[in-house]
Amino acid sequence: MGSPAEAGEDISPALKTLITEEPEHSFIQVLSKTKELLGRKSVGEQQDLQRCKQGLYQHGVLAYCSAALKFNPAKIEGSYASVTQMADLISTCCVGIGSVRDRDVFLHRFLPSVTENLLFFAHRLMKRAVVDKGQSEMLRLFRKVFDSLSWILRAYSHLIPCVLHSKHYESVQMSEDDEVSSVTLMMWHNLFRINSAVLSEMGTKALSSVVDDVVYKMSSSSNPVIGSAATKILLLIIEQHSQSLQLLHKHYKGLDDLVRKDWQGKGFDVVLEQLIDRLQAEVPERGFKAKRSTEEQNRAACVIQAAWRAHQTRSRIKKLPKAVSALQRSFRERRRRQQEETEKRRTEEELRHHVLLRRQRAMRQFRQRQLHLMEILPADQVARYLGELENRAALLIQRVWRGHRERRCFQKSKYQLRQHKAAVTLQRAILRFLKRQRSRRTILTPWKGPRGLTDSRRTELRRQIEEHISLHPSSVASVEGTRELHEKAQCMLQHHLMTRASVRAQEQHRQALLAQINTDMELLLNAPSLKDAGEEESALFLSRSAPVAMCARQSHNALLQSMRLPWWRTLGDEFSNPETLSHMDHDTEFESLYLGGNL
């Protein structure tokens, strides 16, 4: 193997830069440059091509190509076809790479990740092909991806368990589409046919999984392509693996009869006969016993079927009179219902005809009365009479149309009205809930004593108390001082409990006064001017308290008196404030005061 420097000489700096940029934007450029590089090296010596593949692996290009299989094809130029080319490219690079540095990492980490990404992309193609059944392009790309996977498995057979344990392969395996099943079976057939050593390297568990898949496809499908491929795979497994025949005899008894019954005469009888001969060659005694047992089972089945048919016939004959009477009764009931429906339909038609005749007669009489009235009316009043008739007709049409429109609008707004009512109900419930929560917070939670203590807990608490007392000695050393301190604390607690109701009432009174002051402030701020104020606005500023009304009356009279004074009287300090005027300057009659709310 060449050194890393020699292997990296063939990798252009542009390609190294592209794999470090945004992955999806540089996908096409990395694909084209890598294909061009491999195309140039494939013309030369095989050693140069091998060194080039090693350089691509060591500089992370193959890792980028493996990760690119999970990109979103919708964001890549060329969509699924470009990603399929990338899958073919990475399978080509992984095979024939030679010995690389850290070969264990390459074999047991890198190659399993490449296999998983290939199966992920194959699963994506399968889902797209199943959805778009009319497009054969997706099936062609799906087949190419599985060819790339088969190319890697031929060179590295230790990856077969990774494929069988992959969840994406299980999804592909469980597909009921015949095209998808034929692709998976052809992959195993080509792999076992080209590399016969794969079966011996797989292991019994992996071989059992493959055989289970093949037998399931053979038993659940009727497509000759799937049957032929499954038959060839089983024949290759029996020829190349010595213990496979025992495995088939142990887990799939009667497989030869199933194969002969389902697939004989489908176009591959030669291969089918070879498989049947191989299945029966090792156990001739078993074939004779199986044939004899099958004949006995057929004979017993015929006897059981004959007895069951005789029992059914006898039961049917016994129930025949009841069935005839039930049939006659149902027929008479059906005929009676039909006669009733016919009579009802005829009655409705007659009624409809009578109503129509009555309407026509009433319309004819109405028109005759109109003609008679028009004959009686003078010529100059006929036009006015016809105008009145047109106005009445127009009013009737408008009334009917408005009623129809309002009913339709009401039906449309009914849902909005229901939403509004629901919102009001929810808001009311939430406000009540919040009010209850606030009232619960204001109520002092009663003191709850500790739960019952066990002896061990009491001993532990006593020990903690003694340790705390030893670490924090009390300043009152005597018993009398301690007792006095206890009595003082009890008195303070009793005083608090006795006065907390009054304190709470004072706090509520204070809150009510603050709310009243805020309300008065809002009224004053939003009050209209004097020229715009009416009786309703002035009633908002009346007080129910006699002292407040008295004080307001005095302040108003003082202000009016100060406004009547000459200008030179307002220069002194005596009358700078209208409220400081002497109370003797005006007479106030308490009976003449208007107290709001006392009328």
Side-chain angles (χ1 to χ4, degrees), residues 163-180:
V163 173
L164 296 174
H165 294 156
S166 174
K167 61 180 182 180
H168 303 297
Y169 177 76
E170 291 179 359
S171 301
V172 174
Q173 181 183 4
M174 295 303 294
S175 175
E176 297 180 357
D177 189 74
D178 291 343
E179 295 290 339
V180 175

Side-chain angles (χ1 to χ4, degrees), residues 24 37 48 68 80 88 186 204 274 338 414 437 439 453 457 506 531 567:
E24 294 180 352
L37 180 62
D48 295 339
Y80 290 93
D88 184 41
M186 289 305 297
T204 307
Q274 293 179 2
Q338 289 179 353
K414 188 186 293 184
Q437 293 297 111
S439 63
L453 298 176
R457 180 60 179 168
Q506 293 175 4
K531 63 179 181 180
W567 64 271

Side-chain angles (χ1 to χ4, degrees), residues 340-562:
E340 289 179 356
E341 291 177 358
T342 304
E343 186 68 25
K344 184 178 179 181
R345 194 181 305 112
R346 186 169 57 252
T347 305
E348 290 178 354
E349 289 179 356
E350 290 179 357
L351 179 61
R352 194 180 300 112
H353 180 67
H354 287 306
V355 170
L356 182 60
L357 289 177
R358 195 177 303 143
R359 286 179 181 177
Q360 291 178 356
R361 192 179 301 111
M363 182 64 68
R364 190 180 300 110
Q365 292 176 0
F366 174 72
R367 289 178 179 175
Q368 288 177 358
R369 284 197 302 270
Q370 279 188 338
L371 291 174
H372 181 65
L373 288 174
M374 290 179 67
E375 291 176 356
I376 296 173
L377 285 175
D380 55 348
Q381 296 182 4
V382 173
R384 187 174 64 182
Y385 176 72
L386 293 177
E388 291 178 358
L389 290 179
E390 290 179 358
N391 290 334
R392 286 196 206 124
L395 290 175
L396 179 61
I397 294 172
Q398 290 175 359
R399 184 167 61 250
V400 174
W401 164 248
R402 289 193 188 99
H404 170 70
R405 184 181 61 187
E406 290 300 327
R407 285 191 295 273
R408 187 173 60 184
C409 294
F410 177 74
Q411 291 296 333
K412 291 182 180 178
S413 62
K414 188 186 293 184
Y415 179 70
Q416 297 177 356
L417 181 62
R418 190 183 296 114
Q419 282 186 335
H420 177 71
K421 290 183 179 179
V424 171
T425 304
L426 290 175
Q427 291 174 0
R428 189 183 299 114
I430 290 172
L431 290 175
R432 289 177 181 172
F433 172 75
L434 294 176
K435 185 178 179 181
R436 287 196 300 270
Q437 293 297 111
R438 284 194 294 268
S439 63
R440 288 177 184 174
R441 293 196 192 107
T442 56
I443 298 174
L444 182 63
T445 306
W447 180 79
K448 295 182 180 179
R451 296 180 180 177
L453 298 176
T454 60
D455 294 338
S456 59
R457 180 60 179 168
R458 189 179 292 106
T459 305
E460 183 180 358
L461 291 175
R462 187 176 299 157
R463 180 180 56 78
Q464 292 179 1
I465 293 171
E466 291 176 355
E467 290 179 356
H468 181 78
I469 292 173
S470 62
L471 293 176
H472 306 85
S474 175
S475 59
V476 181
S478 62
V479 179
E480 292 78 6
T482 306
R483 191 173 299 163
E484 182 181 356
L485 183 61
H486 174 70
E487 292 177 356
K488 184 179 179 181
Q490 291 294 325
C491 290
M492 293 176 66
L493 177 60
Q494 184 178 3
H495 180 265
H496 170 71
L497 294 176
M498 292 175 64
T499 59
R500 65 178 180 179
S502 61
V503 172
R504 189 177 300 161
Q506 293 175 4
E507 179 66 24
Q508 291 179 356
H509 182 64
R510 193 181 300 110
Q511 294 292 336
L513 289 178
L514 287 175
Q516 185 177 0
I517 292 171
N518 291 331
T519 304
D520 295 340
M521 289 175 62
E522 290 181 0
L523 289 174
L524 291 173
L525 291 174
N526 298 328
S529 59
L530 291 176
K531 63 179 181 180
D532 298 333
E535 293 182 0
E536 295 180 357
E537 287 79 2
S538 61
L540 297 175
F541 300 96
L542 298 179
S543 176
R544 297 176 181 272
S545 176
V548 173
M550 183 70 180
C551 184
R553 181 67 175 270
Q554 291 177 359
S555 299
H556 180 66
N557 292 334
L559 181 61
L560 291 177
Q561 186 178 1
S562 65

Side-chain angles (χ1 to χ4, degrees), residues 556-596:
H556 180 66
N557 292 334
L559 181 61
L560 291 177
Q561 186 178 1
S562 65
M563 292 174 64
R564 297 192 192 99
L565 293 176
W567 64 271
W568 52 270
R569 288 287 299 274
T570 60
L571 296 177
D573 295 331
E574 183 179 1
F575 299 103
S576 59
N577 188 0
E579 295 182 0
T580 60
L581 294 174
S582 176
H583 296 285
M584 300 300 295
D585 295 339
H586 54 84
D587 296 332
T588 304
E589 295 181 1
F590 185 77
E591 290 80 4
S592 63
L593 291 176
Y594 171 70
L595 301 179

Side-chain angles (χ1 to χ4, degrees), residues 31 34 38 53 56 62 65-66 69 83-97 106 110-111 114-115 118 143-156 159:
L31 178 62
T34 308
L38 292 176
K53 292 180 180 179
L56 291 173
L62 295 185
C65 296
S66 175
L69 297 176
V83 184
T84 306
Q85 293 179 10
M86 184 66 78
D88 184 41
L89 179 66
I90 191 151
S91 64
T92 305
C93 294
C94 290
V95 177
I97 196 173
F106 175 77
F110 178 72
L111 288 178
V114 171
T115 306
L118 284 171
R143 194 175 290 107
K144 288 189 67 175
V145 172
F146 260 82
D147 290 341
S148 302
L149 179 63
S150 175
W151 182 255
I152 294 178
L153 294 180
R154 292 173 195 174
Y156 306 100
L159 297 176

